[in-house]
Each structure stands twice: as structure tokens, then as C-alpha cells.
């Protein structure tokens, strides 16, 4: 899980300094960021945000049984992934700000 989160971060960061506005006729240099910026349905936003929230809340879970919940160790990568998603898709950012799921 750590490697997949790190690879997703690298894919999102690839050529981000030289990203320019993409015309409809030209081909994008990074298809992953292109299609990530095109997500617009609220169901998709809810799915992505609920998954990120579950992973980020994982170490905060308190159980009575020792070792009953596996702790994750890639919080920094998840926060960078969340930041990049908000950076590339402004509709996702507005959805996050509109919902109160982040405060739970």
C-alpha cells in the first residue's frame, strides 16, 4: 500500500511544473492528471473522500483487543495525495469544503 501511494504521488507530480492549459485538440502530457481533473460526479467524490478519511482515521481507532486493528504507516503519502487531488480538481476541493465529512 505504501508503494502504490508513493507511485500515485509520483505520477501526479510528473511534469507538474510544466503543466499548461490543455486544448481540446492537443494531447495531454500526463493522462492520469488529465482524467483526475475531469472527475465531476458527487458519487465519485464521496467514494474517494470516504476512502481517504477511513485511511487517515485508522491510527485514531481505539479498540479493547490488542493488535485487532492494523495500523497504517503512510500518512504523509496520503496527505500529499489528497493535496494533489485538491490541486488538480477544483470541483473536488469545493466538494470537500462543502461537506462536513472531513471534520468527523
Amino acid at each position: 500500500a505504501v508503494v502504490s501511494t508513493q507511485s500515485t504521488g509520483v505520477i501526479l507530480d510528473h511534469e507538474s511544473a510544466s503543466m499548461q492549459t490543455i486544448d481540446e485538440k492537443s494531447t495531454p502530457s500526463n493522462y492520469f492528471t488529465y482524467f483526475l481533473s475531469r472527475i465531476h460526479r458527487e458519487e465519485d467524490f464521496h467514494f474517494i473522500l470516504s476512502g481517504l478519511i477511513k485511511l487517515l482515521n485508522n491510527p485514531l481507532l481505539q479498540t479493547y483487543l490488542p493488535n485487532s486493528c492494523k495500523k497504517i504507516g503512510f500518512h504523509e503519502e496520503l496527505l500529499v495525495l489528497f493535496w494533489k487531488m485538491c490541486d488538480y480538481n477544483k470541483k473536488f476541493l469545493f466538494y470537500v469544503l462543502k461537506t462536513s465529512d472531513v471534520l468527523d
Side-chain angles (χ1 to χ4, degrees), residues 13-22 29-30 88:
D13 203 30
H14 177 68
E15 295 182 7
S16 65
S18 64
M19 287 290 287
Q20 299 169 355
T21 57
I22 300 170
S29 62
N30 189 343
Y88 285 115

Side-chain angles (χ1 to χ4, degrees), residues 35-69:
F35 288 119
L36 180 67
S37 66
R38 308 261 310 169
I39 296 174
H40 64 278
R41 294 188 323 170
E42 288 209 11
E43 296 88 20
D44 298 334
F45 290 153
H46 177 72
F47 177 74
I48 293 169
L49 187 61
S50 65
L52 285 173
I53 288 172
K54 285 179 189 175
L55 287 173
L56 287 172
N57 281 335
N58 180 280
L60 302 176
L61 295 176
Q62 297 293 325
T63 60
Y64 292 109
L65 299 173
N67 298 324
S68 64
C69 184

Side-chain angles (χ1 to χ4, degrees), residues 1-4 8 16 22 24 26 36-37 45 48 51-52 57 59 62 69 71 78 80-84 88 91:
V2 176
V3 175
S4 63
T8 306
S16 65
I22 300 170
E24 293 296 324
S26 67
L36 180 67
S37 66
F45 290 153
I48 293 169
L52 285 173
N57 281 335
Q62 297 293 325
C69 184
K71 306 293 184 195
L78 282 174
V80 169
L81 177 65
F82 178 70
W83 172 51
K84 289 289 186 179
Y88 285 115
K91 292 177 185 176

